[in-house]
Amino acid sequence: MNQRKWGALLSYVNNIATIIVGLAYTPIMLRLLGQSEYGLYSLVGSIVGYLSVLDMGLGDTVVRYTARNRVDETKKKEAELNGLFLFVYSIIGLVALLVGFILYANIDNLFGRTLSIGEMHRARIMMLLLIFNFALSFPLSIFSSIMNAYERFIFLRVTNILRVVLNPLLVLPFLFWGYGSVMMVVVSTALNFACLLANMFYCLKFLHVHFARGHFDSWFLYEIAGYSFFIFLNAIMDKIYWASGQFVLGIVSGTLQVAIYAIAMQFMMMFMNFSTAISGVVLPKVTMLVAKHVSSAELTDMMIRIGRLQYLVVGYIFIMFVLVGKQFIYLWAGAGYLSAYPMVVILMAALIIPLIQNVGISILKAMNKNRYRMTAYTICAFIGLAISFPLAHRYGGIGCAIGTAGSLFVSTGWIMNRYYAYKIHLGIAKFWKSMISISTGMIVLFIVGWGLESFLGLAVSWKYLIILSFIDTLLYVIIMYFCLNSYERGLCLQLVQWFRR
């Protein structure tokens, strides 16, 4: 329980550190690199990032089966599972090398019309570095999954926080000395390996993880393959939603539009991470509850309890960005990135539904009923990708955002809520009824905040932005306090007492 509580708390610390570092580091980096160079860096990262789908869902698979093994199996069985997963990960690493070199060989065909000769040269170097990064990371990533299954969240979160803080501290001196995007990739690769090796040391030293060759029945291997395959579809879907925009714009528009869209995606990653900080630590717990065959009513209550907490967080971020996001982008990144504002608003609105229902996804994974969700998501994602090409050609990054948002509304909203209600028998009507009070508070804050800003008519400056943000935050706290239930008010009281101590 302490690991889960501290894991969730440190996840928020990690997210806050990411935001603070991003606020201080990104504008400096943008000005030192330039918009085109930053667009090139984002484009290459998004392309090679597709190799991460080769994980094939094994990360969650390791968590699920290791957590289940802890309930009713032995250390010997666990060592055999670890050996099986390590072998598969090693094969995936070799496949990543092969696929990466195929991408490398076709870079001219993909972006020869939109990138200059110098940009193509730097893109090739970065692609090679990132390909080797992914290939070697796959077998080492098993250790972080094992730590998740053992609920050792504290070490994982602290390691991530250190990586977030150290990356800009190491990169900025090189940028000031005249190095560019290639050196940024070198530094991030070195930090990634340091974290992976630290996880391996923790598992071997403190969890006494062992690896052994085992013999598994064909039905068990088929079950693992089926479970992993639909998580693999989830990874493909995520890449289509959050990396395809840069890819599409790189083909039809060039690095300037990629840079603007990449800034929008940076805000979206922060937005998603704040919601998953809580739900990211409940998968082992949900797996154990499902193994004990608890009722649908109990799972619904957990989904509501955590969903409301997530809604309080993502609702605040969404409303604050709607109210002051445009001014912030202008002051922070510059006028050249202002068109990222409507992209972020459109995508945030589409993401609210899946973010507050993340526990439902954990329930499906624990029940091994992820197939329908992933099939629906993947079909909708490919349809959204197909729509994005003509929309991007006509409207640029906003067109990509519209295509992605439409796909999200259909798949995560209409399709999945029907599935939760009629197939998993969760109380979805009860879930959404419980969200009415928070939604009402958000609407009231938007009306009051927009009216206040219009009435004051303040100039765009950091001083007035901070004043408006403080006033809107204070209003949110006051309004939302009256929207909380007794459990949530108790959590607030505990948090206040903890800060006082």
Side-chain angles (χ1 to χ4, degrees):
M1 179 63 72
N2 287 334
Q3 285 280 341
R4 285 195 293 271
K5 287 183 177 179
W6 278 101
L9 179 61
L10 287 172
S11 291
Y12 279 112
V13 172
N14 181 41
N15 291 331
I16 292 170
T18 301
I19 290 177
I20 293 174
V21 169
L23 292 178
Y25 165 64
T26 303
I28 301 173
M29 180 263 292
L30 289 176
R31 286 160 176 80
L32 290 174
L33 276 181
Q35 196 170 21
S36 294
E37 186 74 1
Y38 178 67
L40 178 66
Y41 171 76
S42 302
L43 176 61
V44 174
S46 67
I47 297 167
V48 182
Y50 279 101
L51 293 179
S52 65
V53 304
L54 294 174
D55 175 85
M56 299 289 290
L58 278 180
D60 280 343
T61 305
V62 173
V63 174
R64 180 179 190 265
Y65 284 92
T66 303
R68 195 174 72 174
N69 184 83
R70 292 176 60 198
V71 176
D72 52 14
E73 296 291 347
T74 63
K75 280 286 185 181
K76 180 177 180 296
K77 185 69 174 179
E78 182 179 324
E80 293 175 349
L81 274 174
N82 292 338
L84 172 65
F85 289 128
L86 181 61
F87 173 76
V88 176
Y89 265 130
S90 300
I91 298 297
I92 290 174
L94 294 175
V95 174
L97 272 179
L98 176 62
V99 175
F101 283 128
I102 293 174
L103 285 173
Y104 178 82
N106 286 277
I107 188 171
D108 287 326
N109 298 328
L110 291 172
F111 307 110
R113 293 185 298 106
T114 56
L115 299 185
S116 67
I117 296 175
E119 288 173 337
M120 291 292 293
H121 175 69
R122 295 192 296 278
R124 290 190 184 93
I125 297 175
M126 288 189 283
M127 283 191 72
L128 285 176
L129 289 170
L130 290 171
I131 288 167
F132 282 106
N133 185 1
F134 273 105
L136 295 176
S137 294
F138 277 121
L140 293 175
S141 63
I142 187 175
F143 296 104
S144 61
S145 298
I146 292 173
M147 292 171 68
N148 269 313
Y150 272 84
E151 301 182 280
R152 300 303 173 93
F153 303 115
I154 295 176
F155 185 86
L156 283 171
R157 301 301 186 265
V158 170
T159 303
N160 287 333
I161 291 170
L162 288 175
R163 177 163 56 180
V164 167
V165 174
L166 286 175
N167 187 69
L169 294 178
L170 294 174
V171 167
L172 278 177
F174 289 104
L175 293 180
F176 279 111
W177 293 333
Y179 292 92
S181 53
V182 174
M183 182 54 66
M184 293 175 63
V185 173
V186 172
V187 172
S188 62
T189 299
L191 281 175
N192 178 55
F193 281 121
C195 292
L196 291 171
L197 293 174
N199 293 339
M200 181 179 70
F201 173 79
Y202 186 95
C203 286
L204 298 177
K205 179 70 175 179
F206 299 104
L207 298 183
H208 307 292
V209 171
H210 296 285
F211 297 87
R213 183 177 180 181
H215 300 281
F216 299 95
D217 295 329
S218 58
W219 66 266
F220 179 73
L221 296 175
Y222 177 79
E223 178 184 327
I224 289 178
Y227 180 82
S228 299
F229 174 73
F230 286 96
I231 299 177
F232 167 60
L233 290 183
N234 182 69
I236 293 177
M237 174 208 65
D238 280 340
K239 284 300 173 185
I240 293 175
Y241 280 139
W242 310 120
S244 63
Q246 291 97 307
F247 177 76
V248 172
L249 292 169
I251 293 175
V252 303
S253 299
T255 55
L256 294 181
Q257 281 292 318
V258 172
I260 295 171
Y261 199 81
I263 288 294
M265 289 301 101
Q266 188 170 342
F267 283 106
M268 294 309 302
M269 293 304 107
M270 295 179 190
F271 186 55
M272 287 187 285
N273 288 339
F274 261 94
S275 173
T276 56
I278 296 176
S279 60
V281 300
V282 301
L283 178 57
K285 175 67 175 179
V286 172
T287 301
M288 293 177 186
L289 288 176
V290 171
K292 295 176 182 177
H293 305 289
V294 300
S295 66
S296 296
E298 187 172 345
L299 293 175
T300 299
D301 290 340
M302 172 182 276
M303 187 175 179
I304 291 172
R305 185 169 64 252
I306 297 177
R308 280 180 59 89
L309 294 176
Q310 291 171 315
Y311 199 13
L312 289 169
V313 175
V314 300
Y316 167 76
I317 298 171
F318 175 67
I319 289 297
M320 289 297 293
F321 190 85
V322 170
L323 291 173
V324 300
K326 183 180 291 186
Q327 300 94 309
F328 176 79
I329 291 176
Y330 177 82
L331 295 169
W332 177 67
Y337 293 92
L338 269 178
S339 56
Y341 172 76
M343 302 178 201
V344 178
V345 172
I346 291 170
L347 291 170
M348 278 187 176
L351 262 179
I352 287 178
I353 293 176
L355 287 183
I356 65 178
Q357 290 186 332
N358 270 327
V359 174
I361 298 174
S362 296
I363 292 172
L364 292 181
K365 290 178 180 178
M367 291 181 171
N368 199 13
K369 292 184 177 181
N370 214 23
R371 298 184 178 185
Y372 179 84
R373 168 180 168 264
M374 293 326 311
T375 302
Y377 276 23
T378 305
I379 292 173
C380 289
F382 276 107
I383 293 174
L385 176 60
I387 294 172
S388 294
F389 275 96
L391 289 175
H393 184 74
R394 183 164 185 174
Y395 302 108
I398 294 178
C400 286
I402 292 172
T404 300
S407 177
L408 283 169
F409 272 123
V410 172
S411 59
T412 64
W414 181 65
I415 293 177
M416 282 313 302
N417 275 266
R418 287 176 58 85
Y419 187 76
Y420 286 141
Y422 297 115
K423 296 298 182 181
I424 309 301
H425 306 294
L426 298 175
I428 294 301
K430 181 181 178 182
F431 175 88
W432 286 114
K433 185 178 179 180
S434 72
M435 302 297 160
I436 292 177
S437 60
I438 299 177
S439 299
T440 303
M442 289 171 57
I443 294 171
V444 171
L445 175 64
F446 172 74
I447 294 173
V448 174
W450 179 78
L452 179 65
E453 183 179 347
S454 300
F455 174 76
L456 294 176
L458 300 175
V460 179
S461 68
W462 283 111
K463 175 184 175 181
Y464 293 130
L465 177 66
I466 293 171
I467 292 173
L468 281 175
S469 300
F470 177 78
I471 294 173
D472 291 337
T473 300
L474 184 61
L475 288 171
Y476 185 83
V477 172
I478 294 172
I479 293 170
M480 284 303 167
Y481 183 78
F482 294 100
C483 302
L484 301 180
N485 56 36
S486 58
Y487 168 75
E488 292 156 357
R489 290 181 182 178
L491 288 180
C492 291
L493 181 61
Q494 292 178 20
L495 186 62
V496 170
Q497 292 174 343
W498 182 81
F499 274 112
R500 290 179 63 184
R501 289 197 298 269

